[in-house]
Amino acid sequence: MLRNYFKTGFRNLTRQKVYSAINIAGLAAGIAACILIFLYVKDELSYDRHHAKADRIYRVTRDFVSNDGSVSLHLGHVAPPFGPLLEQDFPQIASIARLLQTDLLIENVEKQKTFHEERVMFAEPALFDIFDIPILEGSRERALKEPFTMLLSDKLVEKYFLNEEPVGKLLKVTDAATARVTGVFQSLPENSHFHPDILVSFNTLNDTAVYGAENLKTNWGNNSFGTYMVLTSEQEAKNMQAQLPAFMDRHLSGTDHAGDRKPSDFSRLYLQKLTDIHLRSHLDSEMETNGDINTVMILSAVAFVILLIACINYINLSTARSMSRAKEVGVRKVVGAGKEDLVLQFLSESILIAFIATILAVGLTELCLPWLNEFTGKNIASNIFTDKWLLGLTLLLPFLIGGLAGLYPAFYLSRFRPATVLKGSLSSSSKNPMLRKSLVVVQFSISIVLIIATGIMFRQLIYMQNKDLGFEADNVVILPTFTALTPKFEAFKAELKKSAQVEGVGRSLLIPSDRLLNSMGASVEKGDSMAPTSVTIKFVNVDHDLLDVFKVKLAAGRNFDRTRPTDDTAAFIINNVAAKMIGWQDPQEAIDQVFEYGGVKGRVIGVTEDFHFESLHDEISPMVYRLSAPDDYSNIAVRINGNTREAVAHIEQVWQQFLPGYPFEYSFLDQQFAQTYKAERDKGVIFMIFSCIAILIACLGLFGLASYTTVQRTKEIGIRKVFGASVMRIVTLLSKDFLKLVLVANLLAWPIAWFAMRRWLEDFAYRIEIGTDIFVLAAMLALIISLVTISYQAVKAASANPVKSLRTE
């Protein structure tokens, strides 16, 4: 019986080639988009779940609370003393390990190869008790136990030891120290929230030349240490979280950080589930850039609505063609077919179409997956036979889509009365146009929402990229700095400035586009004493030239001056935001005021105009700039002019002259700033692509409906032409009903799009206003696309010979 159903269904497909092609194409595009999104979402949800103890692994995070009760900073890293003290106080901790992420110059002295490694982590041996990190070479028991030992990832071994045994070899890690390679570990999979290339024993930090054992015990201010633990059971997390405030009061009371408040009033610890980090953690410091659960949810919704649009196409075309199938239903009922038989027949046809579409969709997925991987930076595979989830989805989709999309048409067609049908007296009311119109409105409403969302996303992105930052980010080359360069930096700078291509050179701890995480206590003079201010002021260490290199404007006062020795130790430059929040409304009022920051007393010598140091996601923070020791800088900024290629070549030549053997690495400041908006740019592109797919599918359905409607009205068109109707009049007659539906779709889509995008824009401190023009443009675009889709069939029908039209049965 089923074989007969499918055979009959296949004959109907071949008989109605145009409608079958439209149905299959629409479903194939929708299913392909759905599978691609499924693969992306599945990968995002899989992060860190490959560890056997993932459900019991937690990260310790720390926040800081201002005097007004607001959280000024929430970090994914904590100070080094917390790890041992937590293990000491909480028996429910089965294992705990600290990580310190850094970058190092690693040199193979024997091979004379030097590389700048950015994924180096000092790690405690318990790391291997927490995370599943296979050791490929060397002893797991002895890994990371001894100071100045390291493990290399399998991806890095060939870089340093081509076709050689790495275990036992020495690598130079500082100017004076070497570390012995004791093993090789398997690189963490891509769906991990951190990816070390080198693991150095944590005991190495006990050396005073590296960090110092005393610092590890007493430095509560350096919140740079990732701290992970495995609890004895998942239920212990809540109990432990409740005890953390008392833990803070117990161990931080009497420290310099406490002040007049209890430690738990100004700083708090939290336990964060490992599997929540990638999608639900966007703290002020993270190991790597995380994903976003909102993006996952939005894309899942987009996949659903695209599939819905494709299913609506099938329902619309099936019910629109009901008149051509009516006699078939009548004859089948006369010869004994029951309603159940007819329902099964039509459902079989629907599943057959969905099955063919799914096969095509799998092929489309394979074609598009390399683009998705390149775009997202992932390495998603789509082996349908080894991935049980993908295989299950692929097998389920034809029955799910075919069943759901075909259910209504099957019941609708099977209810026709044979006597009415065979007499040819099936009324026009049986054609159920209201349902089809409603479904067309739903299709285009979804498409228009996606068009508006895409437009607003790109407008916000363009706004952020073009907004005046308050300083000149163009033509600034950023270089890393190394200890070996510190004593000869002035000579290095002088050599750079010999070229007319170089305008200025400066150094800083941070550069614009970096996150401002560091702050210290500030006090201002009130009467005869210093009074602490409640303002959280972030600091940046700069040299005398940096503000000039960035062309930062001063609102009042002066820049740092080498001829004034007091500037080195007792001078501060603040930004206008800081001045106003302290209480100096006029920038000039702040000049020469006594100011204490981080325990150092001096005077304010300048106030800068406000500029965006961080991205436009964040409001401009109160900032203070101060001179620092020569070895307390991380970046060199070089302002160039003229030919960029010549300027970079000159900088590289000077670099090799002063730092022979050191890798020459550089970036452009404006490009680094643009990179902070990569997430928005990617979302915009994804929405644009899926909007196009949604519109394409909707237009396929509209084309099919227009085609069928035109066929149904062939005789009417012929009569109108005989009575003198022009081609334009007939095209207008056939198009206006569909265009009315698109206008109604706009009216429904506008409030939904406005509300959704207003919520999205709230994540930006500096954002565009949603104007009416974007809605008008979306409406015009939808109308034009619809008109073009409909016009082909309308013009074709209007241009036909009326004699042939009148002969049509």
Side-chain angles (χ1 to χ4, degrees):
M1 184 67 75
L2 284 174
R3 180 184 176 187
N4 184 56
Y5 288 155
F6 283 111
K7 184 187 291 186
T8 305
F10 186 76
R11 286 173 180 167
N12 280 320
L13 290 184
T14 54
R15 190 179 301 120
Q16 300 288 340
K17 294 183 178 62
V18 174
Y19 300 109
S20 299
I22 290 172
N23 269 325
I24 291 170
L27 282 174
I31 294 170
C34 186
I35 294 175
L36 285 170
I37 292 174
F38 169 80
L39 290 170
Y40 175 84
V41 168
K42 176 174 168 286
D43 182 78
E44 287 288 285
L45 293 174
S46 71
Y47 267 69
D48 296 309
R49 296 182 185 275
H50 51 274
H51 300 292
K53 304 170 186 173
D55 60 329
R56 294 188 288 126
I57 300 175
Y58 290 83
R59 177 175 72 170
V60 184
T61 71
R62 185 184 188 185
D63 75 3
F64 293 87
V65 183
S66 301
N67 289 331
D68 61 3
S70 62
V71 176
S72 61
L73 202 64
H74 193 171
L75 303 172
H77 301 77
V78 299
F82 281 118
L85 292 173
L86 285 166
E87 187 174 27
Q88 169 190 302
D89 286 15
F90 295 97
Q92 56 264 58
I93 297 176
S95 296
I96 191 166
R98 291 171 291 177
L99 298 172
L100 177 63
Q101 189 171 7
T102 186
D103 63 313
L104 290 174
L105 272 179
I106 308 291
E107 181 183 359
N108 184 335
V109 179
E110 189 179 317
K111 300 280 187 181
Q112 294 186 331
K113 289 182 179 179
T114 303
F115 300 98
H116 182 205
E117 301 295 350
E118 297 183 344
R119 292 180 171 180
V120 180
M121 290 186 182
F122 291 90
E124 292 185 299
L127 180 75
F128 298 108
D129 297 328
I130 299 172
F131 299 102
D132 296 340
I133 305 177
I135 301 294
L136 304 180
E137 295 184 44
S139 168
R140 184 183 184 88
E141 289 71 27
R142 296 183 58 81
L144 303 179
K145 293 283 177 69
E146 300 175 15
F148 293 98
T149 58
M150 64 165 60
L151 302 176
L152 301 181
S153 72
D154 54 348
K155 293 179 180 178
L156 211 64
V157 169
E158 193 172 335
K159 187 175 178 180
Y160 288 94
F161 306 106
L162 184 63
N163 301 322
E164 292 183 31
E165 174 60 43
V167 176
K169 294 291 178 67
L170 296 177
L171 291 174
K172 193 173 181 181
V173 293
T174 69
D175 291 334
T178 58
R180 189 174 75 258
V181 178
T182 60
V184 176
F185 66 92
Q186 184 174 310
S187 298
L188 285 167
E190 291 187 11
N191 57 343
S192 299
H193 79 282
F194 67 95
H195 299 85
D197 287 328
I198 298 175
L199 294 172
V200 183
S201 66
F202 200 85
N203 285 333
T204 307
L205 295 175
N206 288 320
D207 191 299
T208 53
V210 182
Y211 192 84
E214 191 62 25
N215 268 336
L216 289 174
K217 294 177 182 177
T218 61
N219 191 339
W220 297 96
N222 182 10
N223 294 284
S224 304
F225 292 75
T227 304
Y228 296 84
M229 64 177 71
V230 174
L231 299 183
T232 53
S233 70
E234 192 175 356
Q235 291 71 33
E236 292 288 352
K238 286 186 179 180
N239 297 332
M240 186 173 168
Q241 181 67 61
Q243 299 175 53
L244 288 177
F247 168 85
M248 295 289 286
D249 294 336
R250 188 163 58 248
H251 291 288
L252 267 72
S253 293
T255 65
D256 292 339
H257 297 76
D260 297 330
R261 296 187 290 168
K262 288 195 306 181
S264 58
D265 288 337
F266 74 83
S267 184
R268 299 169 296 196
L269 294 183
Y270 299 91
L271 298 184
Q272 184 179 44
K273 203 170 177 62
L274 173 69
T275 50
D276 285 344
I277 293 175
H278 178 67
L279 289 177
R280 292 178 170 86
S281 182
H282 302 93
L283 305 183
D284 293 302
S285 69
E286 296 282 1
M287 288 285 195
E288 296 178 11
T289 302
N290 288 330
D292 187 353
I293 189 63
N294 290 326
T295 300
V296 168
M297 293 173 68
I298 290 169
L299 285 177
S300 300
V302 167
F304 172 77
V305 298
I306 287 177
L307 209 53
L308 178 64
I309 290 172
C311 291
I312 287 173
N313 272 1
Y314 181 83
I315 295 170
N316 263 346
L317 290 176
S318 296
T319 55
R321 291 178 57 229
S322 59
M323 290 299 293
S324 64
R325 304 292 300 271
K327 284 188 179 180
E328 175 191 343
V329 171
V331 171
R332 285 179 179 274
K333 282 193 172 185
V334 167
V335 297
K339 186 175 182 180
E340 295 79 8
D341 297 319
L342 292 169
V343 168
L344 285 174
Q345 169 65 52
F346 293 124
L347 279 177
S348 299
E349 289 182 22
S350 177
I351 290 170
L352 178 62
I353 288 173
F355 182 76
I356 296 170
T358 302
I359 294 173
L360 291 175
V362 170
L364 284 172
T365 300
E366 290 296 330
L367 288 174
C368 297
L369 194 57
W371 167 84
L372 181 67
N373 283 330
E374 183 179 351
F375 180 72
T376 60
K378 292 180 178 291
N379 189 24
I380 301 171
S382 67
N383 194 326
I384 192 171
F385 299 107
T386 58
D387 188 332
K388 61 180 182 180
W389 291 103
L390 182 58
L391 178 61
L393 177 70
T394 307
L395 292 175
L396 179 65
L397 277 174
F399 296 97
L400 185 65
I401 295 170
L404 292 177
L407 201 59
Y408 176 79
F411 279 100
Y412 175 72
L413 292 169
S414 64
R415 74 182 183 183
F416 289 162
R417 294 179 180 178
T420 306
V421 169
L422 294 176
K423 287 178 182 177
S425 56
L426 189 66
S427 65
S428 59
S429 61
S430 301
K431 300 173 188 177
N432 202 3
M434 185 53 67
L435 174 68
R436 291 197 296 277
K437 288 178 180 180
S438 301
L439 293 176
V440 169
V441 169
V442 170
Q443 279 185 312
F444 274 89
S445 294
I446 293 169
S447 302
I448 291 161
V449 167
L450 291 174
I451 291 171
I452 293 170
T454 303
I456 291 174
M457 282 183 179
F458 275 106
R459 282 194 175 184
Q460 175 65 18
L461 181 62
I462 292 167
Y463 169 78
M464 292 189 295
Q465 290 176 331
N466 295 334
K467 190 179 187 302
D468 182 12
L469 298 174
F471 73 100
E472 294 188 21
D474 296 339
N475 299 320
V476 176
V477 179
I478 303 298
L479 308 170
T481 186
F482 299 103
T483 306
L485 184 61
T486 301
K488 44 190 178 183
F489 178 75
E490 291 302 323
F492 174 79
K493 180 170 71 173
E495 193 67 28
L496 283 176
K497 295 180 74 172
K498 285 181 180 179
S499 169
Q501 306 283 354
V502 176
E503 287 187 10
V505 183
R507 290 178 294 178
S508 67
L509 177 65
L510 302 171
I511 59 168
S513 75
D514 284 341
R515 295 301 310 273
L516 292 168
L517 303 178
N518 303 316
S519 64
M520 296 182 184
S523 300
V524 295
E525 192 173 47
K526 294 282 182 70
D528 296 330
S529 62
M530 299 299 292
T533 175
S534 61
V535 182
T536 300
I537 303 177
K538 310 295 178 67
F539 74 86
V540 177
N541 295 336
V542 300
D543 68 2
H544 296 81
D545 302 307
L546 190 88
L547 295 180
D548 287 335
V549 170
F550 290 152
K551 296 190 177 181
V552 174
K553 298 175 183 177
L554 289 172
R558 61 178 178 82
N559 199 351
F560 295 112
D561 189 344
R562 285 185 174 81
T563 64
R564 305 190 189 200
T566 55
D567 279 10
D568 292 345
T569 56
F572 300 97
I573 296 176
I574 62 176
N575 65 353
N576 205 9
V577 168
K580 288 180 179 178
M581 292 183 74
I582 289 170
W584 302 318
Q585 297 304 313
D586 186 346
Q588 194 61 45
E589 186 183 344
I591 303 304
D592 211 34
Q593 293 279 0
V594 177
F595 183 75
E596 185 177 315
Y597 190 80
V600 177
K601 185 183 286 188
R603 291 186 180 273
V604 176
I605 64 167
V607 178
T608 69
E609 295 281 2
D610 290 331
F611 70 93
H612 294 277
F613 198 95
E614 298 176 290
S615 78
L616 271 69
H617 292 93
D618 306 298
E619 293 184 1
I620 296 175
S621 299
M623 293 177 64
V624 58
Y625 306 92
R626 59 181 193 171
L627 296 174
S628 183
D631 59 352
D632 202 12
Y633 299 115
S634 302
N635 303 280
I636 301 170
V638 182
R639 177 163 291 281
I640 62 175
N641 57 41
N643 189 299
T644 301
R645 184 175 295 179
E646 290 180 12
V648 171
H650 170 69
I651 295 169
E652 183 177 10
Q653 180 185 349
V654 175
W655 178 274
Q656 298 299 345
Q657 178 184 337
F658 282 83
L659 292 169
Y662 281 64
F664 177 65
E665 299 172 342
Y666 69 94
S667 60
F668 291 98
L669 182 58
D670 55 347
Q671 292 177 359
Q672 287 193 210
F673 231 103
Q675 191 67 16
T676 62
Y677 308 124
K678 182 179 184 299
E680 284 70 36
R681 186 166 58 250
D682 290 352
K683 281 181 188 176
V685 172
I686 287 173
F687 260 78
M688 180 179 69
I689 290 167
F690 287 118
S691 296
C692 291
I693 292 172
I695 294 165
L696 173 65
I697 296 171
C699 286
L700 280 173
L702 194 62
F703 179 84
L705 280 178
S707 176
Y708 195 80
T709 302
T710 303
V711 170
Q712 292 293 96
R713 300 177 70 175
T714 300
K715 191 169 288 187
E716 176 193 345
I717 292 167
I719 293 170
R720 288 181 179 275
K721 288 197 72 177
V722 167
F723 281 97
S726 66
V727 171
M728 181 57 68
R729 187 177 180 84
I730 292 173
V731 168
T732 304
L733 174 72
L734 293 173
S735 303
K736 67 178 182 179
D737 289 339
F738 290 109
L739 296 182
K740 285 177 185 177
L741 297 180
V742 177
L743 285 173
V744 172
N746 273 282
L747 296 177
L748 290 176
W750 287 357
I752 297 171
W754 180 85
F755 178 77
M757 296 315 295
R758 187 173 66 88
R759 291 287 299 273
W760 181 75
L761 287 170
E762 287 174 359
D763 289 338
F764 300 89
Y766 302 89
R767 51 185 177 263
I768 61 170
E769 292 293 329
I770 301 178
T772 56
D773 58 328
I774 189 72
F775 296 94
V776 174
L777 286 171
M780 290 176 63
L781 182 62
L783 285 169
I784 291 169
I785 292 172
S786 304
L787 187 60
V788 169
T789 303
I790 298 163
S791 293
Y792 171 77
Q793 287 295 339
V795 171
K796 183 180 175 183
S799 303
N801 188 333
V803 175
K804 290 184 178 179
S805 299
L806 292 172
R807 288 175 179 172
T808 302
E809 290 294 330

